[in-house]
Amino acid sequence: MTATAPAAHRAATAPRGDEIVLRTRDLTKQYGKRLAVDRLNIEVRRGEIFGFLGPNGAGKTTTIRMALGLIAPTSGSVEILGGDIATHRATILPRVGALVETPALYLYMSGRDNLRAVAAVLGGVPEARMDAVLDLVGLRARARDRVKTYSLGMKQRLGVAIALLQDPDLLVLDEPANGLDPAGIVEMRDLLRRLAAEGKTVFISSHVLTEVRQICTRVAIVNLGRLVTESTVEDLVRGSGDFTVTVERAADALALVRAQPWGRGARLDGDGTLITPAPNNRGRELTRFLVDAGFVPDSLAPRAQDLEEVFLRLTDNGNGVAK
Amino acid sequence: MSATLTVSPAAASTATNPHTARPSFIGLVRGEFLKVSRQLTTWLMLLALAGVVVLPFLIALTVGNLKADIQAEPLADLYRFMGQGLTILRVFSGPVLIIVTARLIGMEYSSGTIRVLLGRGVGRIQLLAAKLLTVFLIAAAILAAGMLLEYALSLFVLRAVTGNLDALKAINGTFWADTRVYVATVAISMAVTILMAAAITVVARSLAGGLSASIAWFPADNIGLVFFILANLLTKSDFWLLVTGDLLGPNLNAMPRALLSAQAPGSATRVLEGPLVPVDGGHTLLVSAIYAAIFLAVAVVLTWRRDVKE
Ligand SMILES: Nc1ncnc2c1ncn2[C@@H]1O[C@H](COP(=O)(O)OP(=O)(O)OP(=O)(O)O)[C@@H](O)[C@H]1O
Ligand SMILES: [Mg+2]
């Protein structure tokens, strides 16, 4: 009964990081004249928690629906676990657990019967497994109640339980934090981390950037159906190469720095901290320059950008739907 | 999402191995039965149907001259029992089957659960086929149980009214042959009804839409007869009467009469109106087959081709 055994097993057969678990190739979906998804190319590797970010209407759900074979791409293809989804749905999708948009449930049935009804499709799972996933999402005590009586967050949890039911290799979650309370979000985060540690791959779409920042190893940002960037979260927020400098007489320091060829982008932020590029992008040279000029910094550090800031910049202020 | 529990199945060997798991047709059908059986209304409808089947026999018990009737013309009365019973099964199982079919198909669209099932790798046509098979099995069970109940009730009424079962001696080979034909017409009617509800619900892709439109079908084309009569009177054109020869409901109504032997009394078969032009058995069968084929084609093609946006 340990979570490490399967992880070790999988690690032996499929070293994490090499295998591409999900790949889209020029994936495109057109609704009338609107391109909901436009030549999208992304790659998700085994063991990653991959964040799929974009403003409303960016095409996240449309992409996920195509990945699950629910809607047919206008052109392009999706490969999951090495097989083309258009031709190998029946063998690939049983290994994928998914939660698309709001959890879809049989409201008149109990939580457990919902699990039964979905499990039956692949030949059923043992009761013990249902108990295990119900425990995992904290719904065991309410499993006999009709889903109609569940709160939004409880329905979301049951949706996650359904996705986990058959121990998938790839978990695709569309806005999984939807409706969860803070404790639920923390639990979800822990759960996803543990799944990833077991060698499972997690693909989540989200708007909640702090959330993404905390758990995702890599992210893709989409806007208006197009891929804007795909990179690690660190690379994304490392961004500009600016440094944050706390120094006395910051305004004078700013004037001096701006006079330098490398310092034109320097500025002061709200609380009077100097934000500036460095000569040759090196903190050491910036320090030397300031000290030589008589400005001894109290502190100097590379400036991490806010993911939110990056997101808004890359998506044109999140103006997806407006266009 | 308690942190103390393992994520993977406790005993991988006893669980379905997810790496070899495939969509299972038997599993799908079992799942559909689970969904139907958890609906309280399914059971209430079956109970009501049983009530409707029993009712005419109870009424028969109170009719004063039944005893003399049976002794004088036992075969005619047996035909009446058989015909009435099967007609009631045919007419009243209709709404039950329509509701069960429309729900089974429509709720997946309305609740969005179709994306969960298809997301597991199930084929669209596979899912539709599992649903249709489930309803066909339910229909077969209703027919079998209904006939058994009616047979038992017939014996009970004969016994109660005449004190013996002598009337059964009047039964000849033709009676049994007619009974088989009648049962076949009920089965055909049930099948076409199920396909109609399935096609309409697939088109509507919602529970409410599918249910209301398919439940309205038979009332509409039966009541529609009145409008065709009016059109005929107003325009003096027989075209309107000919059209009724191709309506589904009236053809299903006319089918038993058109197919049974001459020995069967008219009173055993006439309940609802047939078309306004005379139709023979072959015609009623052909019309039903064409409707069935169209319904099936619509359901299959739309299910197969359409994006699932639910
Ligand atoms: N069935 C449809 N018919 C027409 N257009 C559609 C359909 N579904 C989605 N779209 C369009 O495709 C685009 C992408 O929608 P999608 O649902 O994929 O966005 P999303 O990124 O999931 O947004 P959100 O964050 O709001 O969930 C939108 O412009 C939307 O209007
Ligand atoms: Mg979405």
Side-chain angles (χ1 to χ4, degrees), chain A residues 128-147:
Chain A
R129 176 60 185 165
M130 291 188 215
D131 292 341
V133 290
L134 284 167
D135 272 325
L136 213 50
V137 299
L139 275 183
R140 180 91 174 262
R142 296 291 301 270
R144 292 162 136 271
D145 296 355
R146 284 173 173 232
V147 173

Side-chain angles (χ1 to χ4, degrees), chain A residues 89 96 102 113 124 136 166, chain B residues 1 16 38 115 118 120 307:
Chain A
R89 284 183 73 240
V96 178
T102 51
D113 279 339
L136 213 50
Q166 264 129 341
Chain B
M1 293 169 206
T16 347
R38 289 292 190 267
R115 66 175 180 258
L118 298 187
R120 307 264 61 204
D307 279 351

Side-chain angles (χ1 to χ4, degrees), chain A residues 54-62 64-65 100-102 174-175 205 207:
Chain A
N56 292 135
K60 303 182 294 294
T61 301
T62 305
I64 291 174
R65 282 181 184 275
V100 184
E101 292 192 312
T102 51
D174 197 2
E175 316 270 354
S205 87
H207 298 118

Side-chain angles (χ1 to χ4, degrees), chain B residues 68-132:
Chain B
D69 237 22
I70 292 176
Q71 277 159 353
E73 267 193 292
L75 193 59
D77 278 306
L78 289 173
Y79 260 108
R80 208 156 45 73
F81 282 4
M82 182 269 280
Q84 253 178 18
L86 288 175
T87 303
I88 282 171
L89 264 186
R90 175 173 79 81
V91 172
F92 289 94
S93 69
V96 177
L97 293 174
I98 288 172
I99 291 171
V100 170
T101 310
R103 273 189 140 178
L104 218 46
I105 295 175
M107 75 175 170
E108 307 287 2
Y109 288 100
S110 288
S111 66
T113 40
I114 188 159
R115 66 175 180 258
V116 178
L117 301 181
L118 298 187
R120 307 264 61 204
V122 175
R124 291 148 198 243
I125 302 300
Q126 203 179 17
L127 181 61
L128 179 68
K131 287 181 180 295
L132 286 176

Side-chain angles (χ1 to χ4, degrees), chain A residues 185-224:
Chain A
I185 290 179
V186 172
E187 286 167 13
M188 169 80 77
R189 195 187 305 149
D190 289 347
L191 176 64
L192 296 183
R193 285 210 186 100
R194 266 183 301 145
L195 289 165
E198 278 189 22
K200 297 183 189 310
T201 311
V202 181
F203 180 93
I204 59 175
S205 87
S206 183
H207 298 118
V208 189
L209 298 172
T210 48
E211 198 42 47
V212 168
R213 166 133 207 213
Q214 289 185 55
I215 59 168
C216 291
T217 35
R218 281 193 323 128
V219 296
I221 295 183
V222 285
N223 191 29
L224 299 167

